[in-house]
Short mmCIF file of all heavy atoms in Angstrom, two decimals:
data_model
loop_
_atom_site.label_atom_id
_atom_site.label_comp_id
_atom_site.label_asym_id
_atom_site.label_seq_id
_atom_site.Cartn_x
_atom_site.Cartn_y
_atom_site.Cartn_z
N GLN A 1 5.69 32.66 -12.92
CA GLN A 1 4.67 33.55 -13.45
C GLN A 1 3.30 32.88 -13.34
O GLN A 1 3.18 31.67 -13.45
CB GLN A 1 5.00 33.88 -14.91
CG GLN A 1 6.31 34.65 -15.08
CD GLN A 1 6.57 35.04 -16.50
OE1 GLN A 1 5.66 35.41 -17.24
NE2 GLN A 1 7.82 34.98 -16.93
N PRO A 2 2.26 33.66 -13.07
CA PRO A 2 0.93 33.07 -12.87
C PRO A 2 0.38 32.45 -14.15
O PRO A 2 0.74 32.89 -15.26
CB PRO A 2 0.09 34.27 -12.42
CG PRO A 2 0.81 35.48 -12.94
CD PRO A 2 2.28 35.12 -12.91
N PRO A 3 -0.45 31.41 -13.97
CA PRO A 3 -0.85 30.78 -12.71
C PRO A 3 0.25 29.87 -12.16
O PRO A 3 0.75 29.01 -12.89
CB PRO A 3 -2.09 29.97 -13.11
CG PRO A 3 -1.91 29.67 -14.56
CD PRO A 3 -1.17 30.85 -15.15
N ASP A 4 0.63 30.10 -10.92
CA ASP A 4 1.74 29.39 -10.29
C ASP A 4 1.23 28.07 -9.72
O ASP A 4 0.93 27.95 -8.54
CB ASP A 4 2.36 30.25 -9.20
CG ASP A 4 3.69 29.71 -8.71
OD1 ASP A 4 4.00 28.55 -9.03
OD2 ASP A 4 4.40 30.44 -8.00
N CYS A 5 1.14 27.05 -10.58
CA CYS A 5 0.52 25.79 -10.18
C CYS A 5 1.33 25.07 -9.11
O CYS A 5 0.76 24.42 -8.22
CB CYS A 5 0.31 24.89 -11.38
SG CYS A 5 1.83 24.49 -12.27
N MET A 6 2.66 25.15 -9.17
CA MET A 6 3.46 24.44 -8.18
C MET A 6 3.26 25.03 -6.79
O MET A 6 3.24 24.29 -5.80
CB MET A 6 4.94 24.48 -8.56
CG MET A 6 5.34 23.44 -9.58
SD MET A 6 4.96 21.73 -9.07
CE MET A 6 5.79 21.64 -7.49
N ALA A 7 3.09 26.32 -6.70
CA ALA A 7 2.80 26.92 -5.40
C ALA A 7 1.46 26.42 -4.87
O ALA A 7 1.32 26.11 -3.68
CB ALA A 7 2.80 28.44 -5.50
N GLN A 8 0.48 26.32 -5.75
CA GLN A 8 -0.83 25.82 -5.35
C GLN A 8 -0.72 24.39 -4.83
O GLN A 8 -1.29 24.05 -3.79
CB GLN A 8 -1.80 25.86 -6.53
CG GLN A 8 -2.09 27.26 -7.07
CD GLN A 8 -2.93 27.19 -8.33
OE1 GLN A 8 -3.89 26.43 -8.41
NE2 GLN A 8 -2.58 27.99 -9.32
N VAL A 9 0.00 23.55 -5.55
CA VAL A 9 0.15 22.15 -5.15
C VAL A 9 0.89 22.04 -3.84
O VAL A 9 0.45 21.33 -2.91
CB VAL A 9 0.89 21.37 -6.26
CG1 VAL A 9 1.31 19.99 -5.76
CG2 VAL A 9 0.02 21.24 -7.50
N ALA A 10 2.03 22.71 -3.71
CA ALA A 10 2.85 22.58 -2.51
C ALA A 10 2.11 23.05 -1.27
O ALA A 10 2.27 22.48 -0.18
CB ALA A 10 4.14 23.38 -2.69
N LYS A 11 1.29 24.08 -1.40
CA LYS A 11 0.59 24.61 -0.24
C LYS A 11 -0.57 23.73 0.19
O LYS A 11 -1.06 23.85 1.32
CB LYS A 11 0.10 26.03 -0.53
CG LYS A 11 1.25 27.04 -0.61
CD LYS A 11 0.78 28.42 -1.04
CE LYS A 11 1.95 29.38 -1.13
NZ LYS A 11 1.55 30.73 -1.61
N LYS A 12 -1.02 22.84 -0.69
CA LYS A 12 -2.11 21.94 -0.33
C LYS A 12 -1.62 20.67 0.36
O LYS A 12 -2.42 19.92 0.92
CB LYS A 12 -2.90 21.55 -1.59
CG LYS A 12 -3.75 22.69 -2.15
CD LYS A 12 -4.51 22.24 -3.39
CE LYS A 12 -5.39 23.35 -3.92
NZ LYS A 12 -6.13 22.93 -5.15
N LEU A 13 -0.33 20.40 0.29
CA LEU A 13 0.23 19.19 0.88
C LEU A 13 0.92 19.50 2.19
O LEU A 13 1.41 20.60 2.43
CB LEU A 13 1.24 18.57 -0.09
CG LEU A 13 0.66 18.05 -1.41
CD1 LEU A 13 1.80 17.57 -2.32
CD2 LEU A 13 -0.32 16.91 -1.17
N THR A 14 0.95 18.50 3.05
CA THR A 14 1.65 18.66 4.33
C THR A 14 3.15 18.57 4.10
O THR A 14 3.62 18.08 3.06
CB THR A 14 1.23 17.55 5.30
OG1 THR A 14 1.69 16.29 4.79
CG2 THR A 14 -0.27 17.52 5.49
N ALA A 15 3.90 19.01 5.09
CA ALA A 15 5.36 18.89 5.01
C ALA A 15 5.78 17.43 4.89
O ALA A 15 6.74 17.10 4.18
CB ALA A 15 6.00 19.54 6.24
N GLU A 16 5.05 16.55 5.56
CA GLU A 16 5.35 15.12 5.48
C GLU A 16 5.13 14.59 4.06
O GLU A 16 5.90 13.75 3.58
CB GLU A 16 4.50 14.34 6.47
CG GLU A 16 4.85 14.57 7.93
CD GLU A 16 4.33 15.91 8.46
OE1 GLU A 16 3.45 16.52 7.80
OE2 GLU A 16 4.81 16.34 9.52
N ASP A 17 4.08 15.08 3.40
CA ASP A 17 3.82 14.65 2.03
C ASP A 17 4.91 15.12 1.08
O ASP A 17 5.34 14.40 0.17
CB ASP A 17 2.47 15.17 1.56
CG ASP A 17 1.30 14.33 2.07
OD1 ASP A 17 1.54 13.19 2.51
OD2 ASP A 17 0.16 14.83 2.02
N LEU A 18 5.37 16.34 1.26
CA LEU A 18 6.45 16.85 0.42
C LEU A 18 7.71 16.02 0.60
O LEU A 18 8.41 15.69 -0.37
CB LEU A 18 6.73 18.32 0.74
CG LEU A 18 5.59 19.31 0.49
CD1 LEU A 18 6.04 20.73 0.77
CD2 LEU A 18 5.07 19.20 -0.93
N THR A 19 8.00 15.65 1.85
CA THR A 19 9.17 14.81 2.13
C THR A 19 9.02 13.44 1.48
O THR A 19 9.98 12.90 0.92
CB THR A 19 9.35 14.66 3.65
OG1 THR A 19 9.60 15.95 4.22
CG2 THR A 19 10.51 13.74 3.97
N ALA A 20 7.83 12.88 1.55
CA ALA A 20 7.59 11.57 0.95
C ALA A 20 7.76 11.61 -0.56
O ALA A 20 8.37 10.72 -1.17
CB ALA A 20 6.19 11.08 1.32
N ALA A 21 7.21 12.64 -1.20
CA ALA A 21 7.33 12.75 -2.65
C ALA A 21 8.79 12.90 -3.05
O ALA A 21 9.25 12.26 -4.02
CB ALA A 21 6.52 13.95 -3.14
N ALA A 22 9.55 13.72 -2.34
CA ALA A 22 10.96 13.91 -2.66
C ALA A 22 11.74 12.62 -2.47
O ALA A 22 12.63 12.28 -3.28
CB ALA A 22 11.55 15.02 -1.79
N ALA A 23 11.44 11.86 -1.43
CA ALA A 23 12.15 10.60 -1.17
C ALA A 23 11.89 9.60 -2.29
O ALA A 23 12.82 8.92 -2.76
CB ALA A 23 11.72 10.03 0.18
N TRP A 24 10.64 9.50 -2.73
CA TRP A 24 10.32 8.53 -3.77
C TRP A 24 10.93 8.94 -5.11
O TRP A 24 11.55 8.12 -5.80
CB TRP A 24 8.80 8.36 -3.91
CG TRP A 24 8.44 7.26 -4.86
CD1 TRP A 24 8.38 5.92 -4.58
CD2 TRP A 24 8.12 7.40 -6.26
NE1 TRP A 24 8.04 5.22 -5.72
CE2 TRP A 24 7.88 6.10 -6.76
CE3 TRP A 24 8.01 8.50 -7.11
CZ2 TRP A 24 7.53 5.86 -8.08
CZ3 TRP A 24 7.68 8.27 -8.44
CH2 TRP A 24 7.44 6.96 -8.92
N LEU A 25 10.74 10.20 -5.48
CA LEU A 25 11.25 10.66 -6.77
C LEU A 25 12.77 10.51 -6.87
O LEU A 25 13.29 10.07 -7.90
CB LEU A 25 10.86 12.13 -6.99
CG LEU A 25 9.38 12.41 -7.26
CD1 LEU A 25 9.09 13.90 -7.13
CD2 LEU A 25 8.97 11.89 -8.64
N SER A 26 13.47 10.87 -5.82
CA SER A 26 14.93 10.85 -5.87
C SER A 26 15.51 9.45 -5.87
O SER A 26 16.68 9.26 -6.21
CB SER A 26 15.51 11.64 -4.69
OG SER A 26 15.15 11.04 -3.46
N SER A 27 14.71 8.45 -5.50
CA SER A 27 15.22 7.07 -5.42
C SER A 27 14.85 6.23 -6.63
O SER A 27 15.22 5.05 -6.70
CB SER A 27 14.68 6.40 -4.15
OG SER A 27 13.26 6.28 -4.19
N GLN A 28 14.15 6.81 -7.61
CA GLN A 28 13.70 6.04 -8.77
C GLN A 28 14.77 5.98 -9.86
O GLN A 28 15.44 6.97 -10.14
CB GLN A 28 12.42 6.64 -9.34
CG GLN A 28 11.26 6.63 -8.38
CD GLN A 28 11.04 5.27 -7.77
OE1 GLN A 28 10.72 4.30 -8.47
NE2 GLN A 28 11.22 5.17 -6.45
N PRO A 29 14.92 4.81 -10.48
CA PRO A 29 15.86 4.71 -11.60
C PRO A 29 15.35 5.46 -12.82
O PRO A 29 14.14 5.63 -13.00
CB PRO A 29 15.92 3.20 -11.87
CG PRO A 29 14.60 2.69 -11.38
CD PRO A 29 14.24 3.54 -10.20
N LEU A 30 16.26 5.90 -13.64
CA LEU A 30 15.89 6.59 -14.88
C LEU A 30 15.49 5.56 -15.94
O LEU A 30 16.07 4.48 -16.02
CB LEU A 30 17.06 7.42 -15.40
CG LEU A 30 17.27 8.84 -14.87
CD1 LEU A 30 16.11 9.73 -15.28
CD2 LEU A 30 17.48 8.86 -13.39
N PRO A 31 14.50 5.88 -16.77
CA PRO A 31 14.17 4.99 -17.88
C PRO A 31 15.27 5.01 -18.94
O PRO A 31 16.17 5.86 -18.90
CB PRO A 31 12.87 5.58 -18.42
CG PRO A 31 12.95 7.02 -18.07
CD PRO A 31 13.66 7.09 -16.75
N ALA A 32 15.19 4.08 -19.87
CA ALA A 32 16.19 4.02 -20.93
C ALA A 32 16.22 5.33 -21.73
O ALA A 32 17.29 5.82 -22.10
CB ALA A 32 15.92 2.83 -21.85
N ASP A 33 15.06 5.88 -22.00
CA ASP A 33 14.96 7.16 -22.71
C ASP A 33 14.71 8.25 -21.69
O ASP A 33 13.63 8.34 -21.12
CB ASP A 33 13.83 7.11 -23.73
CG ASP A 33 13.70 8.42 -24.52
OD1 ASP A 33 14.56 9.31 -24.33
OD2 ASP A 33 12.75 8.54 -25.31
#
């Protein structure tokens, strides 16, 4: 539902940037909490 901030962010980044963000996020350990 608007304002759709994630759509705004994703459209401003290149496909390579999206891939890089996904690679980093998915490889990070979880904090204790």
Side-chain angles (χ1 to χ4, degrees):
Q1 296 184 38
D4 192 347
C5 59
M6 278 303 305
Q8 297 174 43
V9 168
K11 289 174 182 178
K12 288 180 178 180
L13 295 175
T14 66
E16 291 76 16
D17 280 343
L18 298 184
T19 297
W24 187 82
L25 289 166
S26 63
S27 64
Q28 298 309 296
L30 275 295
D33 181 5

